[in-house]
C-alpha cells in the first residue's frame, strides 16, 4: 500500500461512546447528548418539574482535530453527526442547494449538533468548522472533489430524523 | 490494484457503473461512525449496510467503492445517490469473511 | 441608500476558498440572532447569504457582503469582482439555476442561485457588467422591530 | 483452530474465557449488525465484530456462537463484559481492523462460515 503524505489536519483522540436520546414527561420535549461511559445510562431522573426518560442510544464517537503544523487541537464535543444533503427530501431548499454545489464537485454536509441543556441546538464556531472542513478535505484524494461542512444555516435540525444523520442507530435491532 | 480488476477477479455484480481507480486497502464495517473515523481514502469498503448514510459516509471519506456482502442490495434511490457521487457499488453473495479472504488472496492489504 | 441604517457591517468573501464557504453566512446569522430577529427572517436571509457567498466562492475572485440593519428590514449588498453575468434574464429562469455545465458553457459565471435568493427575499435586484463583476442587492422585511443591542 | 491460536495470531487481550483457550473454533463470521448475525451466523462460529454494546454478547449467546473478537481496539460495555464472564463466553480484544482479522485468520487456515439458508 502506498503511504499517503501526512495531512496537516487530522482527526485524533477518537473517543467511543453513545448518542443518548431522552424525552421529558410531561412536556414530551426531546433532547440528546453524548455519553462516553462504557454503558449508556438508562435510569430516569428529575430536572425541575420534568422527568427525563431514556429513549434510544446509538453507538458513536467524538474526536478532535489536530493541526500538525502548530500542534493545536480542537475538540468537537458539540458535534452529533453529519447530514449529507442527498439524504434530504428532493426539492427541499438544502437539497437543491446541494445539487448545485454537487455539480461543481462540492459535497455539502450539515453539522448537526447536540442539544444544550435547554433543548436548543449547540453551535459549532466558524473557526472550528474550518478545521473540520480542512481535516476531511485533507483526506480526499479524488481530484476536484471537495467536502463542505456547513453549520445549520437552514434550520433543518428540527426537521430531520436520526436516520438521516450519519449515526449508528438500529445496529442492534434483532429483527 | 485497479477496482475493475478486483470486480472481475471476484465476479462482483455491478450495481452502478465502475468508476475505475486504484484501490488502497480494504475497510470492513457496517458502522457509519467507524467508517468516518477509520476508513481511508481509496479504501474498498466492505459492508452489508445499505442505508443511504453508508453512501454519505463513503463520500465523506472518499472511499473508492462499496462492496455489499451477502447479496445485499440498496434501494434505487441509494444507488442513484452513489452513482451521482461517483462511488461504485458492487454486490456479492459472499459474506464479509469470504470477501476479505479473497481480497487478501488477490493481493490487497 | 436613501436613509441611514441603524447598523452596518461588511464581510469580505474570497473566491475559491471552499473550506471557508459558508463562513460569512454563518457570521451574519450570528449577527442576526443577536438582533433578536424572528427565526424565519434569519433562515431566509441565511439561505440568500449562503447562495450569494457560494456564487462568489465558485465563480468570482473576491467580494464584499454588506449587511445593513433598518428598523423594518435587513438589506444585504454583495459586490463581487468576477466574470459577471451576460444574460441576467436567462440566469434568473428557474431550472437554469442548476444547469451549471450549460451555464458555464455559455459563459455565465454567477447567477447560479439567483432564483433561490429571489424566492427567499422580499426585494431583489441584480446588476452585472461582464468582465467586471456583479452586484446583488436584496432585503428581507422584519415583521417585528429589531431589539436594541 | 484452537482459540489460543486465534489469540496469538491476532495478539489479543483476553477479557473473558482465559480458561477456555482449548476451545476449537470451526469457522468465523464477521458482522456489526446483530440482525445479520442472527440470520446468517452458524452456531459454533467465532464472531468478529466492532459492536461494543451488550447486544453483541446477547446475540452471540442466542446464536450459540463460540467466542467473540472485538476489533479496532474497542472496549466492550461493562454489562457486556459481565455477561460474557457469567456465561463463559470468551471475549477477546484486538487492535487490528476487521479486514486484518479476517485475512490473517483465513491465511492461518480458519474457514469462513458457510451461509445458512
Amino acid at each position: 500500500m502506498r503511504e499517503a503524505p501526512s495531512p496537516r489536519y487530522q482527526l485524533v483522540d477518537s473517543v467511543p461512546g453513545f448518542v443518548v436520546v431522552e424525552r421529558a414527561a410531561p412536556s414530551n420535549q426531546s433532547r440528546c447528548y453524548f455519553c462516553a461511559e462504557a454503558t449508556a445510562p438508562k435510569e430516569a431522573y428529575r430536572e425541575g418539574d420534568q422527568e427525563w426518560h431514556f429513549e434510544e442510544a446509538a453507538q458513536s464517537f467524538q474526536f478532535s482535530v489536530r493541526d500538525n503544523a502548530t500542534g493545536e487541537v480542537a475538540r468537537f464535543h458539540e458535534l452529533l453527526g453529519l447530514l449529507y444533503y442527498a439524504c434530504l427530501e428532493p426539492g427541499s431548499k438544502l437539497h437543491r442547494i446541494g445539487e448545485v454545489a454537487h455539480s461543481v464537485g462540492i459535497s455539502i454536509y450539515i453539522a448537526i449538533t447536540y442539544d444544550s441543556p435547554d433543548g436548543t441546538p449547540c453551535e459549532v464556531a466558524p473557526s472550528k468548522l474550518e478545521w473540520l472542513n480542512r481535516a476531511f478535505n485533507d483526506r480526499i484524494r479524488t481530484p476536484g472533489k471537495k467536502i463542505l461542512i456547513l453549520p445549520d444555516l437552514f434550520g433543518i435540525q428540527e426537521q430531520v430524523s436520526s436516520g438521516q444523520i450519519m449515526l449508528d442507530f438500529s445496529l442492534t435491532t434483532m429483527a | 490494484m485497479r477496482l475493475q480488476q478486483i470486480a472481475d477477479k471476484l465476479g462482483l455484480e455491478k450495481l452502478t457503473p465502475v468508476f475505475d481507480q486504484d484501490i488502497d486497502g480494504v475497510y470492513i464495517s457496517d458502522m457509519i461512525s467507524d467508517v468516518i473515523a477509520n476508513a481511508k481514502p481509496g479504501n474498498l469498503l466492505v459492508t452489508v449496510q445499505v442505508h443511504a448514510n453508508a453512501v454519505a459516509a463513503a463520500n465523506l471519506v472518499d472511499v473508492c467503492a462499496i462492496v455489499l456482502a451477502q447479496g445485499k442490495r440498496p434501494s434505487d434511490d441509494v444507488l442513484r445517490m452513489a452513482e451521482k457521487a461517483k462511488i461504485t457499488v458492487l454486490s456479492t453473495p459472499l459474506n464479509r469473511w469470504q470477501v476479505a479472504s479473497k481480497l487478501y488472496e488477490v493481493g490487497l492489504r | 441608500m436613501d436613509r441611514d441604517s441603524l447598523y452596518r457591517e461588511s464581510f469580505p468573501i474570497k473566491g475559491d476558498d471552499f473550506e471557508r464557504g459558508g463562513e460569512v453566512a454563518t457570521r451574519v446569522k450570528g449577527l442576526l440572532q443577536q438582533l433578536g430577529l424572528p427565526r424565519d427572517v434569519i433562515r431566509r436571509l441565511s439561505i440568500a447569504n449562503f447562495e450569494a457567498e457560494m456564487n462568489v466562492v465558485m465563480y468570482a475572485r473576491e467580494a464584499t457582503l454588506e449587511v445593513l440593519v433598518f428598523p423594518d428590514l435587513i438589506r444585504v449588498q454583495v459586490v463581487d469582482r468576477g466574470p459577471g453575468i451576460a444574460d441576467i434574464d436567462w440566469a434568473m429562469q428557474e431550472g437554469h439555476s442548476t444547469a451549471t455545465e450549460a451555464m458555464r458553457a455559455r459563459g455565465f459565471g454567477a447567477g447560479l442561485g439567483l432564483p433561490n435568493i429571489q424566492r427567499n427575499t422580499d426585494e431583489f435586484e441584480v446588476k452585472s457588467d461582464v468582465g467586471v463583476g456583479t452586484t446583488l442587492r436584496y432585503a428581507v422585511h422584519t415583521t417585528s422591530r429589531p431589539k436594541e443591542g | 483452530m484452537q482459540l489460543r491460536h486465534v489469540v496469538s495470531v491476532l495478539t489479543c487481550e483476553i477479557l473473558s474465557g482465559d480458561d477456555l483457550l482449548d476451545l476449537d473454533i470451526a469457522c468465523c463470521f464477521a458482522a456489526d449488525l446483530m440482525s445479520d448475525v442472527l440470520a446468517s451466523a452458524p452456531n459454533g462460529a467465532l464472531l468478529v465484530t466492532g459492536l461494543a454494546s451488550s447486544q453483541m454478547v446477547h446475540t452471540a449467546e442466542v446464536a450459540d456462537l463460540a467466542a467473540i473478537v472485538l476489533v479496532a481496539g474497542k472496549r466492550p460495555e461493562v454489562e457486556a463484559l459481565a455477561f460474557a464472564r457469567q456465561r463463559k463466553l470468551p471475549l477477546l480484544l484486538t487492535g487490528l481492523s476487521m479486514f486484518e482479522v479476517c485475512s490473517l485468520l483465513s491465511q492461518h487456515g480458519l474457514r469462513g462460515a458457510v451461509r445458512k439458508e
Side-chain angles (χ1 to χ4, degrees), chain C residues 86-105:
Chain C
D87 186 344
I88 290 172
D89 288 343
W90 191 87
M92 283 302 296
Q93 281 173 45
E94 292 286 347
H96 287 174
S97 58
T98 54
T100 51
E101 289 299 335
M103 285 175 74
R104 279 185 294 184

Side-chain angles (χ1 to χ4, degrees), chain A residues 2-8 10 138-139:
Chain A
R2 290 190 306 271
E3 273 305 307
S6 179
R8 174 162 172 190
Q10 227 179 330
D138 275 0
R139 303 209 288 189

Side-chain angles (χ1 to χ4, degrees), chain A residues 70-83:
Chain A
T70 64
E72 273 183 282
V73 174
R75 182 132 198 99
F76 286 83
H77 51 78
E78 62 284 79
L79 187 65
L80 167 78
L82 298 172
L83 173 79

Side-chain angles (χ1 to χ4, degrees), chain A residues 1-2 11 59 61 82 84 86-87 99 102 107 109 136 139-142 145 147 163-168 171, chain B residues 21-22 24-25 30-33 36-37 39 41-42 51-53 56-57 59-62 64 81 84-85 109:
Chain A
M1 207 194 303
R2 290 190 306 271
L11 297 193
Q59 211 165 308
F61 72 114
L82 298 172
Y84 186 38
C87 292
E99 290 283 284
H102 181 89
S107 292
Y109 289 79
F136 281 105
R139 303 209 288 189
I140 300 290
R141 67 166 204 180
T142 302
K145 175 172 167 176
I147 300 292
Q164 287 171 294
I165 306 167
M166 287 195 276
L167 280 178
D168 290 317
L171 263 184
Chain B
Q21 53 179 297
D22 284 325
D24 257 355
D30 306 322
M31 299 170 66
I32 303 297
S33 56
I36 298 174
H51 194 276
N53 278 332
N59 182 57
L60 182 69
V61 298
D62 204 22
C64 92
M81 190 192 291
K84 211 161 177 188
R109 295 294 181 268

Side-chain angles (χ1 to χ4, degrees), chain A residues 93 96-97 100-101 103-104 106 108 123 126 130 133-134 137 146 148 150-155 158-159, chain C residues 18-22 25-26 29 33 39 43 46-47 50-51 54 58-59 97-98 100 112 116 119-120:
Chain A
K93 276 176 185 150
R96 210 198 49 71
I97 290 170
V100 174
S103 63
V104 289
I106 301 172
I108 289 188
E123 299 213 355
E130 190 183 334
N133 275 302
R134 297 205 190 278
N137 279 302
K146 280 165 176 142
L148 178 57
L150 294 170
D152 185 13
L153 292 167
F154 315 96
E158 52 216 60
Q159 303 157 26
Chain C
F18 288 89
E19 285 143 7
R20 294 171 70 172
T26 306
K29 185 187 176 190
Q33 281 171 331
R39 193 184 285 184
R43 188 176 301 179
S46 293
I47 291 170
F50 175 70
E51 292 272 12
M54 288 308 287
M58 289 180 197
Y59 296 112
S97 58
T98 54
T100 51
L112 211 141
N116 204 32
R119 254 202 310 274
N120 284 289

Side-chain angles (χ1 to χ4, degrees), chain B residues 59-97:
Chain B
N59 182 57
L60 182 69
V61 298
D62 204 22
V63 305
C64 92
I66 299 173
V67 175
L68 294 171
Q70 290 167 220
K72 297 278 168 156
R73 291 186 84 96
S75 68
D76 290 345
D77 287 349
V78 172
L79 284 178
R80 273 197 294 274
M81 190 192 291
E83 184 172 343
K84 211 161 177 188
K86 295 201 169 52
I87 291 172
T88 309
V89 183
L90 304 160
S91 177
T92 172
L94 303 175
N95 65 36
R96 276 154 293 203
W97 170 271

